[in-house]
Amino acid sequence: MKARVIVLPKEGVLDPQGKAIQGSLHALGYDAVTDLRAGKCFVIELADLPPGKARKLLDEMSEKLLANPLIESWKIELETA
Amino acid sequence: MKARVIVLPKEGVLDPQGKAIQGSLHALGYDAVTDLRAGKCFVIELADLPPGKARKLLDEMSEKLLANPLIESWKIELETA
């Protein structure tokens, strides 16, 4: 089964990378962009597991390795539900 | 309107970051992970535009700045369709 983990800076946490990219987009003339947050995406191929179990496993992996729980939040998306 | 751009290494392009993370997950005992690709995620707040126009704009931005078209592919997801 395939899953996606999206890791983003928590609301309220400064995101200098996102701000820099937003600034560059404005410099290129893309003024329609009013906010941008930059994060990470992990596309994970997993052995077949019941969705609940897969979600629990991915949550554990995110907390331990993929994200920094102090400043980042994550969202798990299973492609085969 | 809100949109998401997911940037990933193209199929067939080496992904050393993904491989390193996969190795770390295995070392932590997460053997269920059979493949992992690491990419970027941009959550973008845009001025209201027709979906077709927004998609075109985001595609242009991805090609020019958010991704490296030689080695990365991207996917645009509009949250308000």
Side-chain angles (χ1 to χ4, degrees):
Chain A
M1 73 191 304
K2 219 173 179 171
R4 229 162 45 166
V5 178
I6 305 278
V7 176
L8 288 168
K10 276 184 185 171
E11 289 295 324
V13 171
L14 282 180
D15 175 19
Q17 191 194 359
K19 284 289 158 254
I21 295 169
Q22 192 182 338
S24 301
L25 286 170
H26 285 179
L28 288 172
Y30 296 108
D31 293 318
V33 176
T34 56
D35 193 44
L36 187 149
R37 299 187 68 76
K40 292 170 283 182
C41 171
F42 302 98
V43 177
I44 300 174
E45 194 72 51
L46 271 182
D48 275 326
L49 288 171
K53 215 165 172 177
R55 210 170 267 281
K56 201 172 156 275
L57 198 70
L58 289 163
D59 200 54
E60 248 185 67
M61 285 166 26
S62 301
E63 189 164 357
K64 282 199 198 160
L65 189 80
L66 303 178
N68 177 348
L70 282 178
I71 56 169
E72 292 172 323
S73 62
W74 58 91
K75 207 161 126 185
I76 291 161
E77 298 169 355
L78 299 180
E79 276 188 28
T80 46
Chain B
M1 73 192 305
K2 219 174 180 170
R4 231 165 42 166
V5 177
I6 306 278
V7 177
L8 288 168
K10 277 185 185 171
E11 290 295 324
V13 171
L14 282 179
D15 175 19
Q17 192 193 0
K19 284 290 161 248
I21 295 169
Q22 191 182 338
S24 301
L25 286 171
H26 284 179
L28 288 171
Y30 296 108
D31 294 317
V33 176
T34 55
D35 192 45
L36 188 149
R37 299 187 69 78
K40 294 171 281 183
C41 171
F42 303 99
V43 177
I44 300 174
E45 194 72 54
L46 274 180
D48 275 326
L49 289 170
K53 215 166 173 174
R55 209 170 268 279
K56 199 171 158 279
L57 198 71
L58 289 163
D59 199 54
E60 247 185 68
M61 286 168 24
S62 301
E63 188 162 358
K64 281 199 200 159
L65 189 81
L66 302 178
N68 176 347
L70 281 179
I71 55 168
E72 291 172 324
S73 61
W74 57 90
K75 207 162 127 184
I76 290 161
E77 298 170 354
L78 300 180
E79 276 187 27
T80 46

